Short mmCIF file of all heavy atoms in Angstrom, two decimals:
data_model
loop_
_atom_site.label_atom_id
_atom_site.label_comp_id
_atom_site.label_asym_id
_atom_site.label_seq_id
_atom_site.Cartn_x
_atom_site.Cartn_y
_atom_site.Cartn_z
N MET V 6 -1.55 -10.60 -44.81
CA MET V 6 -1.45 -11.61 -43.75
C MET V 6 -1.91 -12.97 -44.27
O MET V 6 -2.54 -13.04 -45.33
CB MET V 6 -2.29 -11.19 -42.54
CG MET V 6 -3.80 -11.19 -42.81
SD MET V 6 -4.73 -10.64 -41.36
CE MET V 6 -6.41 -10.99 -41.92
N GLU V 7 -1.64 -14.01 -43.52
CA GLU V 7 -2.08 -15.35 -43.92
C GLU V 7 -3.57 -15.50 -43.61
O GLU V 7 -4.04 -15.05 -42.57
CB GLU V 7 -1.28 -16.40 -43.16
CG GLU V 7 -1.63 -17.83 -43.57
CD GLU V 7 -0.89 -18.85 -42.71
OE1 GLU V 7 0.35 -18.83 -42.71
OE2 GLU V 7 -1.55 -19.64 -42.05
N CYS V 8 -4.28 -16.12 -44.54
CA CYS V 8 -5.72 -16.31 -44.34
C CYS V 8 -5.97 -17.31 -43.22
O CYS V 8 -5.41 -18.40 -43.19
CB CYS V 8 -6.37 -16.79 -45.63
SG CYS V 8 -8.13 -17.09 -45.45
N LEU V 9 -6.86 -16.93 -42.29
CA LEU V 9 -7.15 -17.81 -41.15
C LEU V 9 -8.18 -18.87 -41.51
O LEU V 9 -8.36 -19.84 -40.77
CB LEU V 9 -7.68 -16.96 -39.99
CG LEU V 9 -6.75 -15.86 -39.49
CD1 LEU V 9 -7.45 -15.01 -38.46
CD2 LEU V 9 -5.47 -16.44 -38.92
N ILE V 10 -8.85 -18.68 -42.62
CA ILE V 10 -9.92 -19.60 -42.99
C ILE V 10 -9.37 -20.79 -43.76
O ILE V 10 -9.55 -21.94 -43.38
CB ILE V 10 -11.00 -18.88 -43.82
CG1 ILE V 10 -11.53 -17.64 -43.09
CG2 ILE V 10 -12.15 -19.84 -44.18
CD1 ILE V 10 -12.17 -17.93 -41.75
N CYS V 11 -8.70 -20.53 -44.86
CA CYS V 11 -8.21 -21.64 -45.69
C CYS V 11 -6.75 -21.97 -45.38
O CYS V 11 -6.26 -23.03 -45.75
CB CYS V 11 -8.38 -21.31 -47.17
SG CYS V 11 -7.39 -19.91 -47.73
N LYS V 12 -6.06 -21.06 -44.71
CA LYS V 12 -4.64 -21.22 -44.36
C LYS V 12 -3.75 -21.49 -45.57
O LYS V 12 -2.67 -22.06 -45.45
CB LYS V 12 -4.47 -22.33 -43.30
CG LYS V 12 -5.26 -22.06 -42.04
CD LYS V 12 -4.83 -23.00 -40.93
CE LYS V 12 -5.78 -22.95 -39.74
NZ LYS V 12 -5.89 -21.64 -39.11
N ASN V 13 -4.25 -21.16 -46.72
CA ASN V 13 -3.52 -21.40 -47.96
C ASN V 13 -3.24 -20.13 -48.72
O ASN V 13 -2.34 -20.06 -49.54
CB ASN V 13 -4.34 -22.33 -48.88
CG ASN V 13 -3.75 -23.72 -48.92
OD1 ASN V 13 -2.55 -23.87 -48.80
ND2 ASN V 13 -4.59 -24.71 -49.08
N GLY V 14 -4.05 -19.15 -48.46
CA GLY V 14 -3.95 -17.91 -49.23
C GLY V 14 -3.38 -16.79 -48.38
O GLY V 14 -3.19 -16.93 -47.18
N THR V 15 -3.12 -15.69 -49.04
CA THR V 15 -2.74 -14.49 -48.32
C THR V 15 -3.77 -13.41 -48.66
O THR V 15 -4.44 -13.46 -49.69
CB THR V 15 -1.34 -14.00 -48.73
OG1 THR V 15 -1.29 -13.90 -50.14
CG2 THR V 15 -0.27 -14.95 -48.25
N THR V 16 -3.87 -12.44 -47.79
CA THR V 16 -4.88 -11.42 -47.99
C THR V 16 -4.26 -10.14 -48.54
O THR V 16 -3.11 -9.81 -48.25
CB THR V 16 -5.60 -11.10 -46.66
OG1 THR V 16 -4.65 -10.62 -45.71
CG2 THR V 16 -6.28 -12.33 -46.11
N ASN V 17 -5.03 -9.47 -49.36
CA ASN V 17 -4.64 -8.19 -49.92
C ASN V 17 -5.71 -7.17 -49.61
O ASN V 17 -6.89 -7.52 -49.46
CB ASN V 17 -4.48 -8.29 -51.44
CG ASN V 17 -3.38 -9.25 -51.82
OD1 ASN V 17 -2.24 -9.09 -51.40
ND2 ASN V 17 -3.72 -10.25 -52.60
N LYS V 18 -5.28 -5.92 -49.55
CA LYS V 18 -6.25 -4.86 -49.31
C LYS V 18 -7.29 -4.84 -50.42
O LYS V 18 -6.98 -5.01 -51.59
CB LYS V 18 -5.55 -3.51 -49.26
CG LYS V 18 -4.68 -3.33 -48.03
CD LYS V 18 -5.14 -2.14 -47.19
CE LYS V 18 -4.31 -1.95 -45.93
NZ LYS V 18 -4.75 -2.82 -44.84
N GLY V 19 -8.53 -4.67 -50.00
CA GLY V 19 -9.59 -4.64 -50.99
C GLY V 19 -10.85 -4.06 -50.40
O GLY V 19 -10.86 -3.59 -49.25
N PHE V 20 -11.88 -4.09 -51.19
CA PHE V 20 -13.17 -3.56 -50.76
C PHE V 20 -14.24 -4.61 -50.99
O PHE V 20 -14.15 -5.42 -51.89
CB PHE V 20 -13.53 -2.29 -51.54
CG PHE V 20 -12.60 -1.16 -51.26
CD1 PHE V 20 -11.43 -1.01 -52.00
CD2 PHE V 20 -12.88 -0.24 -50.27
CE1 PHE V 20 -10.56 0.04 -51.74
CE2 PHE V 20 -12.01 0.81 -50.00
CZ PHE V 20 -10.85 0.95 -50.73
N ASP V 21 -15.27 -4.58 -50.15
CA ASP V 21 -16.37 -5.50 -50.34
C ASP V 21 -17.66 -4.82 -49.88
O ASP V 21 -17.64 -3.75 -49.28
CB ASP V 21 -16.11 -6.78 -49.54
CG ASP V 21 -16.91 -7.96 -50.11
OD1 ASP V 21 -17.71 -7.75 -51.05
OD2 ASP V 21 -16.74 -9.07 -49.61
N THR V 22 -18.75 -5.49 -50.18
CA THR V 22 -20.05 -5.01 -49.75
C THR V 22 -20.52 -5.88 -48.60
O THR V 22 -20.46 -7.10 -48.68
CB THR V 22 -21.06 -5.10 -50.91
OG1 THR V 22 -20.58 -4.30 -51.98
CG2 THR V 22 -22.43 -4.61 -50.48
N ILE V 23 -20.94 -5.25 -47.52
CA ILE V 23 -21.45 -6.03 -46.40
C ILE V 23 -22.90 -5.67 -46.17
O ILE V 23 -23.36 -4.59 -46.55
CB ILE V 23 -20.65 -5.79 -45.10
CG1 ILE V 23 -20.73 -4.32 -44.70
CG2 ILE V 23 -19.20 -6.22 -45.27
CD1 ILE V 23 -20.25 -4.07 -43.30
N SER V 24 -23.62 -6.59 -45.57
CA SER V 24 -25.03 -6.32 -45.28
C SER V 24 -25.35 -6.84 -43.89
O SER V 24 -24.75 -7.80 -43.41
CB SER V 24 -25.92 -7.00 -46.32
OG SER V 24 -25.70 -8.38 -46.33
N PHE V 25 -26.25 -6.17 -43.24
CA PHE V 25 -26.70 -6.62 -41.93
C PHE V 25 -28.11 -6.11 -41.73
O PHE V 25 -28.59 -5.25 -42.46
CB PHE V 25 -25.77 -6.13 -40.82
CG PHE V 25 -25.56 -4.64 -40.79
CD1 PHE V 25 -26.40 -3.82 -40.07
CD2 PHE V 25 -24.51 -4.07 -41.50
CE1 PHE V 25 -26.21 -2.44 -40.04
CE2 PHE V 25 -24.31 -2.69 -41.48
CZ PHE V 25 -25.15 -1.89 -40.75
N GLU V 26 -28.78 -6.67 -40.73
CA GLU V 26 -30.14 -6.30 -40.48
C GLU V 26 -30.25 -5.41 -39.26
O GLU V 26 -29.56 -5.63 -38.26
CB GLU V 26 -30.97 -7.56 -40.24
CG GLU V 26 -32.23 -7.59 -41.09
CD GLU V 26 -33.02 -8.87 -40.87
OE1 GLU V 26 -33.78 -8.93 -39.90
OE2 GLU V 26 -32.85 -9.79 -41.67
N LYS V 27 -31.05 -4.40 -39.35
CA LYS V 27 -31.25 -3.52 -38.20
C LYS V 27 -32.73 -3.15 -38.16
O LYS V 27 -33.27 -2.64 -39.14
CB LYS V 27 -30.39 -2.27 -38.35
CG LYS V 27 -30.47 -1.36 -37.15
CD LYS V 27 -29.67 -0.10 -37.36
CE LYS V 27 -29.76 0.77 -36.11
NZ LYS V 27 -29.07 2.04 -36.30
N ASN V 28 -33.36 -3.43 -37.04
CA ASN V 28 -34.77 -3.12 -36.87
C ASN V 28 -35.62 -3.65 -38.02
O ASN V 28 -36.55 -2.99 -38.48
CB ASN V 28 -34.99 -1.61 -36.73
CG ASN V 28 -34.25 -1.05 -35.53
OD1 ASN V 28 -34.04 -1.75 -34.54
ND2 ASN V 28 -33.82 0.18 -35.63
N GLY V 29 -35.27 -4.83 -38.50
CA GLY V 29 -36.05 -5.44 -39.57
C GLY V 29 -35.73 -4.91 -40.95
O GLY V 29 -36.31 -5.35 -41.94
N HIS V 30 -34.78 -3.98 -41.05
CA HIS V 30 -34.38 -3.45 -42.34
C HIS V 30 -33.02 -4.01 -42.72
O HIS V 30 -32.14 -4.12 -41.87
CB HIS V 30 -34.29 -1.92 -42.31
CG HIS V 30 -35.60 -1.26 -42.04
ND1 HIS V 30 -36.56 -1.09 -42.99
CD2 HIS V 30 -36.10 -0.76 -40.88
CE1 HIS V 30 -37.62 -0.49 -42.45
NE2 HIS V 30 -37.36 -0.28 -41.16
N LEU V 31 -32.88 -4.30 -43.99
CA LEU V 31 -31.59 -4.77 -44.46
C LEU V 31 -30.73 -3.56 -44.83
O LEU V 31 -31.11 -2.74 -45.66
CB LEU V 31 -31.77 -5.68 -45.68
CG LEU V 31 -30.47 -6.32 -46.19
CD1 LEU V 31 -29.91 -7.28 -45.15
CD2 LEU V 31 -30.73 -7.06 -47.49
N ILE V 32 -29.60 -3.45 -44.18
CA ILE V 32 -28.68 -2.36 -44.43
C ILE V 32 -27.52 -2.88 -45.27
O ILE V 32 -26.92 -3.89 -44.92
CB ILE V 32 -28.11 -1.78 -43.11
CG1 ILE V 32 -29.21 -1.57 -42.08
CG2 ILE V 32 -27.29 -0.52 -43.38
CD1 ILE V 32 -30.09 -0.39 -42.31
N ILE V 33 -27.24 -2.23 -46.34
CA ILE V 33 -26.12 -2.63 -47.19
C ILE V 33 -25.10 -1.50 -47.23
O ILE V 33 -25.46 -0.34 -47.47
CB ILE V 33 -26.61 -2.96 -48.62
CG1 ILE V 33 -27.52 -4.19 -48.56
CG2 ILE V 33 -25.42 -3.22 -49.55
CD1 ILE V 33 -28.20 -4.52 -49.86
N VAL V 34 -23.86 -1.84 -46.93
CA VAL V 34 -22.79 -0.85 -46.97
C VAL V 34 -21.80 -1.27 -48.04
O VAL V 34 -21.24 -2.37 -48.00
CB VAL V 34 -22.07 -0.76 -45.61
CG1 VAL V 34 -21.07 0.39 -45.61
CG2 VAL V 34 -23.09 -0.57 -44.48
N ARG V 35 -21.62 -0.41 -49.03
CA ARG V 35 -20.73 -0.74 -50.14
C ARG V 35 -19.34 -0.15 -49.93
O ARG V 35 -19.17 0.81 -49.18
CB ARG V 35 -21.32 -0.20 -51.44
CG ARG V 35 -22.58 -0.93 -51.85
CD ARG V 35 -23.01 -0.55 -53.25
NE ARG V 35 -24.13 -1.40 -53.67
CZ ARG V 35 -25.39 -1.16 -53.34
NH1 ARG V 35 -25.70 -0.12 -52.62
NH2 ARG V 35 -26.35 -1.98 -53.73
N ASN V 36 -18.37 -0.74 -50.62
CA ASN V 36 -17.00 -0.26 -50.58
C ASN V 36 -16.45 -0.17 -49.17
O ASN V 36 -15.87 0.83 -48.77
CB ASN V 36 -16.89 1.10 -51.28
CG ASN V 36 -17.19 0.99 -52.76
OD1 ASN V 36 -16.84 -0.01 -53.39
ND2 ASN V 36 -17.83 1.98 -53.32
N VAL V 37 -16.67 -1.23 -48.41
CA VAL V 37 -16.11 -1.30 -47.07
C VAL V 37 -14.66 -1.75 -47.19
O VAL V 37 -14.38 -2.78 -47.80
CB VAL V 37 -16.90 -2.30 -46.21
CG1 VAL V 37 -16.31 -2.40 -44.80
CG2 VAL V 37 -18.36 -1.90 -46.15
N PRO V 38 -13.72 -0.99 -46.62
CA PRO V 38 -12.32 -1.39 -46.73
C PRO V 38 -11.99 -2.56 -45.82
O PRO V 38 -12.52 -2.68 -44.72
CB PRO V 38 -11.56 -0.13 -46.30
CG PRO V 38 -12.51 0.62 -45.45
CD PRO V 38 -13.89 0.29 -45.94
N GLY V 39 -11.12 -3.42 -46.31
CA GLY V 39 -10.71 -4.58 -45.52
C GLY V 39 -9.65 -5.34 -46.28
O GLY V 39 -8.93 -4.78 -47.09
N GLU V 40 -9.56 -6.62 -46.00
CA GLU V 40 -8.60 -7.47 -46.70
C GLU V 40 -9.32 -8.68 -47.26
O GLU V 40 -10.20 -9.24 -46.62
CB GLU V 40 -7.50 -7.92 -45.73
CG GLU V 40 -6.79 -6.75 -45.09
CD GLU V 40 -5.29 -6.96 -45.02
OE1 GLU V 40 -4.78 -7.95 -45.54
OE2 GLU V 40 -4.63 -6.08 -44.44
N VAL V 41 -8.93 -9.06 -48.47
CA VAL V 41 -9.57 -10.18 -49.15
C VAL V 41 -8.55 -11.28 -49.40
O VAL V 41 -7.44 -11.02 -49.87
CB VAL V 41 -10.17 -9.72 -50.50
CG1 VAL V 41 -10.97 -10.85 -51.13
CG2 VAL V 41 -11.04 -8.50 -50.32
N CYS V 42 -8.93 -12.51 -49.10
CA CYS V 42 -8.05 -13.65 -49.35
C CYS V 42 -7.99 -13.92 -50.84
O CYS V 42 -9.02 -13.96 -51.52
CB CYS V 42 -8.58 -14.88 -48.61
SG CYS V 42 -7.66 -16.38 -49.01
N ASN V 43 -6.77 -14.14 -51.34
CA ASN V 43 -6.63 -14.38 -52.78
C ASN V 43 -6.90 -15.84 -53.14
O ASN V 43 -6.90 -16.22 -54.29
CB ASN V 43 -5.24 -13.95 -53.28
CG ASN V 43 -4.12 -14.77 -52.65
OD1 ASN V 43 -4.36 -15.70 -51.89
ND2 ASN V 43 -2.90 -14.41 -52.95
N ASN V 44 -7.15 -16.66 -52.14
CA ASN V 44 -7.44 -18.08 -52.39
C ASN V 44 -8.92 -18.39 -52.24
O ASN V 44 -9.56 -18.87 -53.16
CB ASN V 44 -6.59 -18.95 -51.47
CG ASN V 44 -6.75 -20.42 -51.78
OD1 ASN V 44 -6.62 -20.84 -52.93
ND2 ASN V 44 -7.05 -21.21 -50.77
N CYS V 45 -9.47 -18.13 -51.06
CA CYS V 45 -10.87 -18.50 -50.82
C CYS V 45 -11.82 -17.32 -50.93
O CYS V 45 -13.03 -17.50 -50.94
CB CYS V 45 -11.02 -19.16 -49.44
SG CYS V 45 -10.75 -18.04 -48.06
N GLY V 46 -11.26 -16.11 -50.98
CA GLY V 46 -12.11 -14.94 -51.17
C GLY V 46 -12.76 -14.43 -49.89
O GLY V 46 -13.58 -13.53 -49.93
N TYR V 47 -12.38 -14.98 -48.75
CA TYR V 47 -12.94 -14.51 -47.48
C TYR V 47 -12.57 -13.05 -47.25
O TYR V 47 -11.43 -12.64 -47.48
CB TYR V 47 -12.44 -15.38 -46.32
CG TYR V 47 -13.12 -15.06 -45.02
CD1 TYR V 47 -14.33 -15.64 -44.69
CD2 TYR V 47 -12.55 -14.16 -44.12
CE1 TYR V 47 -14.97 -15.34 -43.50
CE2 TYR V 47 -13.19 -13.85 -42.93
CZ TYR V 47 -14.39 -14.44 -42.63
OH TYR V 47 -15.01 -14.12 -41.45
N PHE V 48 -13.53 -12.28 -46.81
CA PHE V 48 -13.31 -10.86 -46.60
C PHE V 48 -13.15 -10.54 -45.13
O PHE V 48 -14.02 -10.85 -44.31
CB PHE V 48 -14.50 -10.06 -47.17
CG PHE V 48 -14.35 -8.57 -47.01
CD1 PHE V 48 -13.38 -7.87 -47.70
CD2 PHE V 48 -15.20 -7.87 -46.16
CE1 PHE V 48 -13.24 -6.50 -47.54
CE2 PHE V 48 -15.07 -6.49 -46.01
CZ PHE V 48 -14.09 -5.82 -46.70
N TYR V 49 -12.02 -9.94 -44.80
CA TYR V 49 -11.77 -9.49 -43.42
C TYR V 49 -12.02 -8.00 -43.35
O TYR V 49 -11.35 -7.21 -44.00
CB TYR V 49 -10.31 -9.74 -43.03
CG TYR V 49 -9.94 -11.20 -43.00
CD1 TYR V 49 -9.50 -11.83 -44.15
CD2 TYR V 49 -10.01 -11.93 -41.83
CE1 TYR V 49 -9.16 -13.18 -44.14
CE2 TYR V 49 -9.67 -13.27 -41.79
CZ TYR V 49 -9.25 -13.88 -42.96
OH TYR V 49 -8.91 -15.20 -42.94
N ILE V 50 -13.00 -7.63 -42.55
CA ILE V 50 -13.29 -6.21 -42.41
C ILE V 50 -12.24 -5.58 -41.50
O ILE V 50 -11.77 -6.20 -40.54
CB ILE V 50 -14.72 -6.03 -41.85
CG1 ILE V 50 -15.15 -4.57 -41.95
CG2 ILE V 50 -14.83 -6.54 -40.43
CD1 ILE V 50 -16.63 -4.41 -41.68
N ASP V 51 -11.85 -4.36 -41.81
CA ASP V 51 -10.90 -3.63 -40.97
C ASP V 51 -11.48 -3.42 -39.58
O ASP V 51 -12.66 -3.11 -39.42
CB ASP V 51 -10.60 -2.25 -41.58
CG ASP V 51 -9.43 -2.30 -42.54
OD1 ASP V 51 -8.91 -3.41 -42.80
OD2 ASP V 51 -9.05 -1.24 -43.05
N ASP V 52 -10.65 -3.58 -38.57
CA ASP V 52 -11.11 -3.40 -37.20
C ASP V 52 -11.72 -2.02 -36.98
O ASP V 52 -12.76 -1.88 -36.35
CB ASP V 52 -9.94 -3.57 -36.23
CG ASP V 52 -9.61 -5.04 -36.03
OD1 ASP V 52 -10.40 -5.88 -36.49
OD2 ASP V 52 -8.57 -5.34 -35.44
N THR V 53 -11.06 -1.02 -37.50
CA THR V 53 -11.55 0.34 -37.27
C THR V 53 -12.92 0.54 -37.89
O THR V 53 -13.78 1.21 -37.34
CB THR V 53 -10.57 1.37 -37.85
OG1 THR V 53 -10.26 1.00 -39.18
CG2 THR V 53 -9.30 1.45 -37.03
N VAL V 54 -13.11 -0.08 -39.07
CA VAL V 54 -14.41 0.04 -39.74
C VAL V 54 -15.47 -0.73 -38.97
O VAL V 54 -16.59 -0.26 -38.79
CB VAL V 54 -14.32 -0.49 -41.18
CG1 VAL V 54 -15.69 -0.45 -41.86
CG2 VAL V 54 -13.31 0.32 -41.97
N ALA V 55 -15.08 -1.91 -38.47
CA ALA V 55 -16.03 -2.72 -37.71
C ALA V 55 -16.50 -1.96 -36.48
O ALA V 55 -17.67 -1.98 -36.13
CB ALA V 55 -15.38 -4.04 -37.31
N ILE V 56 -15.56 -1.28 -35.84
CA ILE V 56 -15.91 -0.52 -34.64
C ILE V 56 -16.86 0.62 -34.99
O ILE V 56 -17.84 0.87 -34.31
CB ILE V 56 -14.64 0.01 -33.95
CG1 ILE V 56 -13.89 -1.16 -33.32
CG2 ILE V 56 -14.97 1.06 -32.89
CD1 ILE V 56 -12.45 -0.87 -32.96
N GLU V 57 -16.56 1.31 -36.09
CA GLU V 57 -17.42 2.40 -36.52
C GLU V 57 -18.84 1.90 -36.79
O GLU V 57 -19.82 2.52 -36.41
CB GLU V 57 -16.87 3.05 -37.80
CG GLU V 57 -15.80 4.09 -37.55
CD GLU V 57 -16.29 5.20 -36.64
OE1 GLU V 57 -17.35 5.78 -36.94
OE2 GLU V 57 -15.65 5.46 -35.61
N LEU V 58 -18.92 0.76 -37.48
CA LEU V 58 -20.24 0.22 -37.82
C LEU V 58 -20.96 -0.25 -36.56
O LEU V 58 -22.18 -0.11 -36.45
CB LEU V 58 -20.09 -0.93 -38.81
CG LEU V 58 -19.68 -0.49 -40.23
CD1 LEU V 58 -19.30 -1.71 -41.07
CD2 LEU V 58 -20.79 0.28 -40.90
N GLN V 59 -20.19 -0.79 -35.62
CA GLN V 59 -20.81 -1.23 -34.38
C GLN V 59 -21.38 -0.06 -33.60
O GLN V 59 -22.42 -0.15 -32.97
CB GLN V 59 -19.78 -1.95 -33.51
CG GLN V 59 -19.64 -3.42 -33.91
CD GLN V 59 -18.53 -4.10 -33.13
OE1 GLN V 59 -18.35 -3.85 -31.96
NE2 GLN V 59 -17.77 -4.93 -33.80
N LYS V 60 -20.67 1.06 -33.64
CA LYS V 60 -21.17 2.26 -32.97
C LYS V 60 -22.51 2.65 -33.55
O LYS V 60 -23.41 3.07 -32.85
CB LYS V 60 -20.18 3.41 -33.18
CG LYS V 60 -19.06 3.44 -32.16
CD LYS V 60 -18.30 4.75 -32.29
CE LYS V 60 -16.83 4.56 -32.00
NZ LYS V 60 -16.02 5.61 -32.61
N LYS V 61 -22.62 2.52 -34.87
CA LYS V 61 -23.85 2.93 -35.54
C LYS V 61 -25.00 1.98 -35.23
O LYS V 61 -26.12 2.39 -35.05
CB LYS V 61 -23.63 2.99 -37.05
CG LYS V 61 -22.86 4.22 -37.47
CD LYS V 61 -22.64 4.23 -38.98
CE LYS V 61 -21.67 5.35 -39.34
NZ LYS V 61 -21.09 5.14 -40.66
N GLN V 62 -24.70 0.70 -35.19
CA GLN V 62 -25.79 -0.25 -35.03
C GLN V 62 -25.83 -0.89 -33.64
O GLN V 62 -26.78 -1.55 -33.29
CB GLN V 62 -25.71 -1.33 -36.09
CG GLN V 62 -24.44 -2.14 -36.02
CD GLN V 62 -24.55 -3.38 -36.89
OE1 GLN V 62 -25.63 -3.86 -37.12
NE2 GLN V 62 -23.43 -3.87 -37.36
N LYS V 63 -24.74 -0.68 -32.88
CA LYS V 63 -24.68 -1.15 -31.50
C LYS V 63 -24.89 -2.65 -31.35
O LYS V 63 -25.47 -3.12 -30.39
CB LYS V 63 -25.69 -0.40 -30.63
CG LYS V 63 -25.29 1.05 -30.47
CD LYS V 63 -26.19 1.78 -29.51
CE LYS V 63 -25.71 3.21 -29.32
NZ LYS V 63 -26.75 4.11 -28.88
N LYS V 64 -24.49 -3.38 -32.33
CA LYS V 64 -24.41 -4.82 -32.15
C LYS V 64 -23.37 -5.36 -33.10
O LYS V 64 -23.00 -4.70 -34.07
CB LYS V 64 -25.76 -5.49 -32.36
CG LYS V 64 -26.22 -5.53 -33.80
CD LYS V 64 -27.51 -6.32 -33.92
CE LYS V 64 -27.94 -6.41 -35.38
NZ LYS V 64 -29.23 -7.05 -35.55
N ARG V 65 -22.90 -6.55 -32.84
CA ARG V 65 -21.80 -7.08 -33.60
C ARG V 65 -22.22 -7.44 -35.02
O ARG V 65 -23.28 -7.95 -35.26
CB ARG V 65 -21.24 -8.31 -32.90
CG ARG V 65 -19.81 -8.50 -33.28
CD ARG V 65 -19.12 -9.51 -32.38
NE ARG V 65 -17.88 -9.91 -33.05
CZ ARG V 65 -16.81 -9.17 -33.09
NH1 ARG V 65 -16.80 -8.00 -32.50
NH2 ARG V 65 -15.74 -9.58 -33.73
N LEU V 66 -21.30 -7.12 -35.94
CA LEU V 66 -21.55 -7.43 -37.34
C LEU V 66 -21.36 -8.92 -37.61
O LEU V 66 -20.40 -9.51 -37.13
CB LEU V 66 -20.50 -6.72 -38.20
CG LEU V 66 -20.75 -5.30 -38.62
CD1 LEU V 66 -19.55 -4.82 -39.41
CD2 LEU V 66 -21.98 -5.22 -39.50
N PRO V 67 -22.23 -9.48 -38.40
CA PRO V 67 -21.93 -10.82 -38.89
C PRO V 67 -20.82 -10.72 -39.93
O PRO V 67 -20.82 -9.80 -40.74
CB PRO V 67 -23.24 -11.27 -39.53
CG PRO V 67 -23.93 -10.00 -39.90
CD PRO V 67 -23.49 -8.95 -38.90
N MET V 68 -19.88 -11.60 -39.91
CA MET V 68 -18.82 -11.58 -40.91
C MET V 68 -19.36 -12.23 -42.17
O MET V 68 -19.77 -13.38 -42.16
CB MET V 68 -17.60 -12.37 -40.42
CG MET V 68 -16.95 -11.73 -39.20
SD MET V 68 -16.32 -10.07 -39.48
CE MET V 68 -14.79 -10.47 -40.30
N VAL V 69 -19.33 -11.49 -43.25
CA VAL V 69 -19.90 -12.02 -44.49
C VAL V 69 -18.76 -12.46 -45.40
O VAL V 69 -17.83 -11.73 -45.58
CB VAL V 69 -20.74 -10.96 -45.22
CG1 VAL V 69 -21.32 -11.55 -46.49
CG2 VAL V 69 -21.83 -10.46 -44.30
ZN1 LIG X 124 -8.51 -17.94 -47.56
#
Protein backbone atom coordinates (compact mmCIF):
# COMPACT_ATOMS: atom_id res chain seq x y z
CA MET A 1 0.00 0.00 0.00
CA GLU A 2 1.03 3.64 -0.24
CA CYS A 3 2.78 4.99 2.83
CA LEU A 4 0.55 7.38 4.78
CA ILE A 5 3.48 9.07 6.47
CA CYS A 6 5.79 10.16 3.66
CA LYS A 7 3.31 9.56 0.79
CA ASN A 8 6.33 8.73 -1.33
CA GLY A 9 7.02 5.14 -0.57
CA THR A 10 5.18 1.88 -0.71
CA THR A 11 5.02 -0.68 2.02
CA ASN A 12 6.16 -4.28 1.91
CA LYS A 13 5.53 -7.10 4.29
CA GLY A 14 8.14 -7.24 6.97
CA PHE A 15 8.91 -7.70 10.61
CA ASP A 16 9.91 -5.29 13.31
CA THR A 17 10.48 -5.09 17.03
CA ILE A 18 8.01 -3.13 19.08
CA SER A 19 8.19 -2.07 22.69
CA PHE A 20 5.68 -0.76 25.16
CA GLU A 21 5.40 -0.24 28.86
CA LYS A 22 3.16 -2.22 31.14
CA ASN A 23 2.99 -1.78 34.90
CA GLY A 24 6.34 -0.01 34.82
CA HIS A 25 8.01 -2.81 32.88
CA LEU A 26 9.29 -2.44 29.38
CA ILE A 27 7.89 -5.16 27.18
CA ILE A 28 9.67 -5.92 23.94
CA VAL A 29 8.05 -8.05 21.26
CA ARG A 30 10.30 -9.19 18.44
CA ASN A 31 9.41 -10.29 14.92
CA VAL A 32 6.04 -8.60 14.89
CA PRO A 33 4.51 -8.97 11.43
CA GLY A 34 3.42 -5.86 9.61
CA GLU A 35 4.34 -3.65 6.69
CA VAL A 36 7.41 -1.48 6.33
CA CYS A 37 7.72 1.60 4.12
CA ASN A 38 10.57 1.29 1.65
CA ASN A 39 11.13 5.05 1.74
CA CYS A 40 10.86 6.32 5.32
CA GLY A 41 10.96 2.99 7.12
CA TYR A 42 7.73 3.56 9.05
CA PHE A 43 6.39 0.30 10.42
CA TYR A 44 2.69 -0.49 10.18
CA ILE A 45 1.67 -3.18 12.58
CA ASP A 46 -0.90 -5.67 11.30
CA ASP A 47 -4.38 -4.99 12.63
CA THR A 48 -4.84 -8.53 13.80
CA VAL A 49 -1.56 -8.41 15.70
CA ALA A 50 -2.42 -5.05 17.23
CA ILE A 51 -5.70 -6.46 18.46
CA GLU A 52 -3.97 -9.50 19.94
CA LEU A 53 -1.46 -7.30 21.74
CA GLN A 54 -4.22 -5.02 22.97
CA LYS A 55 -6.02 -8.00 24.43
CA LYS A 56 -2.88 -8.86 26.34
CA GLN A 57 -2.16 -5.40 27.64
CA LYS A 58 -5.64 -3.87 27.43
CA LYS A 59 -4.47 -0.53 26.22
CA ARG A 60 -3.58 0.93 22.89
CA LEU A 61 -0.12 0.36 21.50
CA PRO A 62 2.04 3.30 20.70
CA MET A 63 3.03 3.12 17.05
CA VAL A 64 6.79 2.85 16.94
ZN1 LIG B 1 6.96 6.21 4.17
